Amino acid sequence: MSLEKYEPVIGLEVHVQLQTKSKIFCSCSTKFGAEANTQTCPICLGLPGSLPVLNEQALYYGIKAGIALNCHIAERLKFDRKNYFYPDLPKAYQISQFDMPVAYRGWLMIETKDGNKKIGITRAHLEEDAGKLIHEGIKDASVVDYNRCGTPLLEIVSEPDLRTPEDAYEYLTTLKAILEYLEVSDCNMDEGSLRCDANVSIRLRGAEKFGTKAEIKNLNSFKAVAKSIQYEIERQAEVLESGERVIQETRLWNDEKGQTISMRSKEEAHDYRYFPEPDLVPFTISRQRVEEIRKTLPELPQAREERFLRDYKLSNYDAHVLVSDKKHADYFEQAIRAGADPKKVSNWLTSELFGLLNTRKETLDTCKVSAKALSGLIQLIDKQVISGKIAKEVLPIMVETGKDPETIVKEKGLVQVTDTKFLEDIAKKIIEVNPKSVADFKSGKTAAIGFLVGQMMKETKGKANPALANQILEQQLKKS
Amino acid sequence: MSKDLFRMTLKEAAGFLSSPENFSALHKSLTDRAGAVDAKVKAYTQLNHDGKDFLAKTPRNGKPLWGVPVSVKENICTHGWETTCSSKILKGYIPPYDATVIRKLRDQGAFLFAKCNMDEFAFGSSSETSAFHPTFNPWDLERVPGGSSGGSAACVAADEAICALGSDTGGSVRQPASLCGVVGMKPTYGRVSRFGLIAFGSSLDQIGPLTKNVEDNAILLGAIAGHDPLDSTSANVPVPDYTKSLVKDVKGLRIGLPKDYFISGIDPEVEAAVREAAKVYEQLGATIKEISLPHTKYGVAVYYVVATAEASSNLARFDGVQYGFRYPTDNLLDMYVETRDQGFGQEAKRRILLGTFVLSAGYYDAYYLRAQKVRTLIKQDFENAFKEVDVILCPTSPSTAFKVGEKMNDPLSMYLSDIYTISSNLAGVPALSVPCGFDSKGLPIGFQLMGKYFDEPTMYRAAYSYEQTMHWYERKPKL
């Protein structure tokens, strides 16, 4: 089948939980993981007679995100009711924004293998989250946990500007990084604070008209988004190749099977009967306020990446990897501030520490090694207290125990041997027992010295200063 | 005096209630009165017999309304006390919180005496759609008390209450006040918190007092009005001392008579009484000016689009999941369908259907959006009128109390009984019904005063001046 015939068209809808302390329309806590229905009140339970009052912080976060995504910010803030019946929705309507989202017509830049690409943001709107149905562990019934009800969400809708699963993955990574930098959401997919639906269609290359789209739901990771889009592109191409038509429908991604499954067709779609929420009076968002918020914006990932390239002379790849997660970039800069060389920090962080954390299924959040400690380790190498090889033995102990490198080096007696007399004695011994290598060296095979240095390192259990060992050996070989 | 304690006004009761003994005496008197007349009037759904509990929990401490019994409409949430909207679907529902008006009344020492019957979810103008029982007009038990706050108006008229709270979405305080011969105020939208009022039409609803006279009304409104941080639609406007407006002086007051209200369909006796009231005002020194509110004729149509749209959404939460009536079944859709089919009455279903229809895809622009535009025109009518006059005088209801059952099978004619009261809800302006005589059958007639936003003081002054000239409140129904 020739996938090349078709061009995929992809748009993403991302829901992020805004990290306010209290809910969007009441003062209940938004903390994740509390006992079911302990973070509720008459308002978020939608009890008769209760009324919503907007959480100012949620609006602030919404505007902040809108500005960072290069959006226009609405002149007037208006909410609407989205009406539908479901047991996790206690008012039987969701307070959302329909025709006047808080932010609209923006864009963000993603890095692709073909260079930078500008992806349009259609809109970003504020709304309340619903509760959670629980089916597991209950016989012949389902129960509802309303704790999540009323958690503030920002729904960010992209233009159908994405063309490949990789585009989609990069868009999500970039968006997540921006939101984390803004500190408006923790974007934790496992706790549901970032959720994504994908709209996918294909069309013949060169065609102007979009094909019929399918909306994919139940995407639990960025990888799942990319995989499901790839699956969907292939599925739709097969449908078209077999002479049939793609139907507009909502499909669920099954991660285990690696398939999307039809959930409901367009005909079964809801009529949400949106209308303006009469309980929340629309109000003006002053331009002055928007400008004030604009000024509070922190350095965003792309600016930081440019700065990393410029100031730390990192490779494009390393800079991109480091800034794409605010915590990584912050850690990196803390280590530099503690005195270590940027390039070395970058190497130790991305290839050594992350590798160790990965195998332990840990992240920087749980990591016992502080940025200062990593910096200390690197500086021990620079000061020739230990060799790089020894450092690679020290780091796993740091990850394991959280002890600082100086302590470990001292406790384990790993301090580099720089005692010339001691090393000279060892060198003599090595020369005596390796006549062949000595002969090779003297016959002009200077590379043979590498073997002899290795023997010295072995003899000293790796603690000999390699440069010094090399120097002493050379001197003695020349003498003998 | 002690025999007729139940006849007291709010003002008199507040003066009388100087001790627990006096409270118990008044409580007993009212309870006995309700026992004697409510079997006929059926204004109440629940009575509070627990005066001892009140005394134990409510030290007097100079609270201005200490011990004053207040009767409350069934749609205002009372913590720990069943609140049903007179609907089967909310039967047994006990709110875990007080409406803001209730909290305010409790803070001022008031005693919640009874819950008042109403049209189910305030859908109606006769109090016949209650799931409990109809309420009857104390002046003629074969007639309706009006609605939806029929219980609140009837209990005050029958002297089985000192004062009452109702709610008004399209006339639900004023029309029953008019039909029962009491004073009823729908305040400016945003004057009184709606927090804890079970919503019907959120952009129209206001809680308002029903009282034996204008002075009581001013006192009770003062007690419940004010900005509430829990209600975004409540206005942050200071509350004046309404009792200071109670002066008999309308000299120079400009009163508008809207020609659009005196149209065919109005009971000639009602029209005559209102025109007579205008003459009284003239004699008292006010000037009467004919004005026009040209979009009045669209009021009922606009109202039944906006109010039902909001109601259809507001009532969607009654689905059997969390509270109230639930039809027991093992399948979610059946639970929804059967709970709502059996829990809601005929009129509630009619309005939910109507509201769902006008919000539906393809109809929204033609109905809801257009209605909102006309609503703006109606608002502008008032803004224009109030450039020329201080208050507007008109009938409250086109007729006096009609017979029980007379309009139950004719919803349109029922809806038209709110024709004079609807516009002020759509515009948000305050409106007050004041007794202005009796028809040849001996049934009360009321006029309506509509005022500028937050100008309740001028309306109370006008109402008080008329009331203290005519003394209609002295006449009581024979029960």
Side-chain angles (χ1 to χ4, degrees), chain A residues 360 368 396-404 408:
Chain A
R360 294 168 61 92
K368 288 179 183 157
I397 305 170
M398 292 166 71
V399 171
E400 180 75 38
T401 63
K403 286 183 183 169
D404 59 59
I408 296 167

Side-chain angles (χ1 to χ4, degrees), chain A residues 137-302:
Chain A
I138 297 131
K139 202 169 172 281
D140 298 329
S142 296
V143 293
V144 196
D145 176 5
Y146 292 108
N147 279 351
R148 205 178 66 183
C149 252
T151 298
L153 296 179
L154 189 70
E155 180 176 339
I156 302 162
V157 182
S158 85
E159 287 289 301
D161 289 346
L162 303 159
R163 290 291 172 268
T164 65
E166 294 75 33
D167 277 4
Y169 189 90
E170 186 59 27
Y171 170 86
L172 290 171
T173 313
T174 309
L175 179 63
K176 178 173 182 273
I178 292 172
L179 297 171
E180 283 175 344
Y181 273 64
L182 293 173
E183 293 179 324
V184 299
S185 174
D186 63 18
C187 295
N188 186 333
M189 264 192 131
D190 295 334
E191 293 179 4
S193 51
L194 190 152
R195 285 165 259 161
C196 175
D197 301 333
N199 288 304
V200 181
S201 66
I202 59 173
R203 62 181 169 190
L204 283 174
R205 289 205 184 270
E208 262 183 47
K209 223 175 134 223
F210 288 146
T212 307
K213 68 175 180 181
E215 184 180 9
I216 316 172
K217 287 184 177 288
N218 195 36
L219 300 170
N220 295 321
S221 67
F222 291 179
K223 284 203 179 99
V225 174
K227 269 156 68 183
S228 71
I229 290 171
Q230 185 59 41
Y231 175 88
E232 194 56 27
I233 292 167
E234 289 168 19
R235 185 191 70 84
Q236 292 183 12
E238 257 175 57
V239 170
L240 292 182
E241 287 293 297
S242 68
E244 285 171 47
R245 288 166 63 177
V246 173
I247 55 165
Q248 190 174 335
E249 60 182 345
T250 303
R251 300 180 68 88
L252 283 188
W253 172 246
N254 184 323
D255 207 40
E256 278 157 36
K257 290 186 181 162
Q259 293 174 347
T260 62
I261 299 132
S262 181
M263 185 173 122
R264 60 165 179 257
S265 73
K266 190 190 174 192
E267 286 70 35
E268 297 163 73
H270 295 285
D271 176 1
Y272 290 118
R273 287 171 284 118
Y274 279 101
F275 75 104
E277 164 57 289
D279 290 332
L280 292 165
V281 183
F283 61 85
T284 304
I285 304 172
S286 79
R287 297 302 95 181
Q288 190 195 339
R289 172 122 196 260
V290 174
E291 288 317 306
E292 277 164 17
I293 296 174
R294 195 185 298 282
K295 281 180 202 140
T296 69
L297 247 52
E299 181 185 43
L300 293 174
Q302 260 140 17

Side-chain angles (χ1 to χ4, degrees), chain B residues 89-108:
Chain B
I89 211 159
L90 270 178
K91 214 152 192 189
Y93 174 65
I94 297 172
Y97 73 101
D98 271 334
T100 296
V101 294
I102 298 299
R103 186 186 48 73
K104 284 187 162 224
L105 288 175
R106 288 198 211 258
D107 287 350
Q108 292 166 81

Side-chain angles (χ1 to χ4, degrees), chain A residues 255-358:
Chain A
D255 207 40
E256 278 157 36
K257 290 186 181 162
Q259 293 174 347
T260 62
I261 299 132
S262 181
M263 185 173 122
R264 60 165 179 257
S265 73
K266 190 190 174 192
E267 286 70 35
E268 297 163 73
H270 295 285
D271 176 1
Y272 290 118
R273 287 171 284 118
Y274 279 101
F275 75 104
E277 164 57 289
D279 290 332
L280 292 165
V281 183
F283 61 85
T284 304
I285 304 172
S286 79
R287 297 302 95 181
Q288 190 195 339
R289 172 122 196 260
V290 174
E291 288 317 306
E292 277 164 17
I293 296 174
R294 195 185 298 282
K295 281 180 202 140
T296 69
L297 247 52
E299 181 185 43
L300 293 174
Q302 260 140 17
R304 198 174 200 182
E305 189 173 329
E306 281 161 26
R307 185 164 61 80
F308 278 18
L309 290 174
R310 191 178 63 234
D311 293 358
Y312 303 138
K313 314 278 183 246
L314 299 185
S315 71
N316 282 330
Y317 178 80
D318 284 349
H320 191 59
V321 166
L322 281 175
V323 299
S324 66
D325 189 322
K326 181 170 187 289
K327 283 171 190 144
H328 294 176
D330 287 348
Y331 188 98
F332 168 73
E333 292 212 274
Q334 278 165 27
I336 292 169
R337 273 198 295 278
D341 171 70
K343 272 192 159 161
K344 286 178 185 163
V345 174
S346 168
N347 286 338
W348 276 91
L349 190 58
T350 53
S351 44
E352 301 301 326
L353 185 58
F354 288 169
L356 286 168
L357 293 177
N358 263 341

Side-chain angles (χ1 to χ4, degrees), chain A residues 42 45-53 81 83 85-87 90-93 146 271 273-276 278-281, chain B residues 77 93 96-97 194-198 202 229-233 313-314 316-317 321-323 332 336 356 359-361 364 368:
Chain A
L45 288 175
L47 293 188
S50 66
L51 295 171
V53 174
R81 290 187 185 176
N83 296 283
F85 286 94
Y86 205 64
K91 299 189 295 293
Y93 57 82
Y146 292 108
D271 176 1
R273 287 171 284 118
Y274 279 101
F275 75 104
D279 290 332
L280 292 165
V281 183
Chain B
C77 287
Y93 174 65
Y97 73 101
R194 294 186 297 115
F195 190 79
L197 168 66
I198 299 181
S202 311
L230 294 175
D231 176 3
S232 304
T233 65
S313 174
N314 285 330
R317 71 188 68 195
V321 175
Q322 257 196 87
Y323 45 78
L332 181 65
Y336 282 153
T356 303
L359 290 176
S360 295
Y364 181 86
Y368 186 80

